Amino acid sequence: MKSNGAFRLTYFTEKYNETIEFYKELLELEVLHFWNRNENDKGTLLKAGMGTIEVLSVPNDNHKIKGLDYRKPQGVFGCLQVSNATALYKKYKNKGVKFKEDLVDQSWRHRSFSVEDPNGVVLFIFEERF
């Protein structure tokens, strides 16, 4: 398969405002686009490296589309490669970000830490140390 587009992780949340604040204010991810057409149609696209995190508010039952899964994300995590994990860790620590795992040198030569968004989605932030 050949892809000619960027990867996008998309999920629904009942904690929409809290989730957007986490990614935008605490992690300082860039908002690429957002919409708020009504309570049943709002979402935000956030730049995460070369990909996008798309957060959608859970609509009420009358507006749910067949075939989509509106449950809370489970077993999902993301990885974001950065050039300096140590500097970003210190910056986030000064901002009061809570870490799922503190900064650590992994045996596979990554220096990483992780955070957990309000929905339980874990984001590993790492740099390669080859």
Side-chain angles (χ1 to χ4, degrees), residues 109-123:
R109 309 213 17 109
H110 282 180
R111 186 163 179 80
S112 67
F113 63 92
S114 64
V115 296
E116 186 174 13
D117 86 359
N119 308 285
V121 176
V122 175
L123 181 61

Side-chain angles (χ1 to χ4, degrees), residues 39-90:
E39 282 303 308
N40 294 297
D41 187 6
K42 62 181 170 181
T44 300
L45 303 177
L46 299 131
K47 183 172 178 53
M50 294 173 60
T52 305
I53 298 172
E54 181 175 13
V55 179
L56 302 169
S57 179
V58 175
N60 69 36
D61 287 339
N62 295 333
H63 291 86
K64 289 183 177 175
I65 298 169
K66 263 187 170 175
L68 292 180
D69 189 345
Y70 294 90
R71 294 175 296 173
K72 179 180 175 180
Q74 298 179 56
V76 175
F77 67 92
C79 298
L80 179 59
Q81 185 174 355
V82 297
S83 59
N84 189 333
T86 303
L88 195 55
Y89 175 84
K90 288 177 183 176

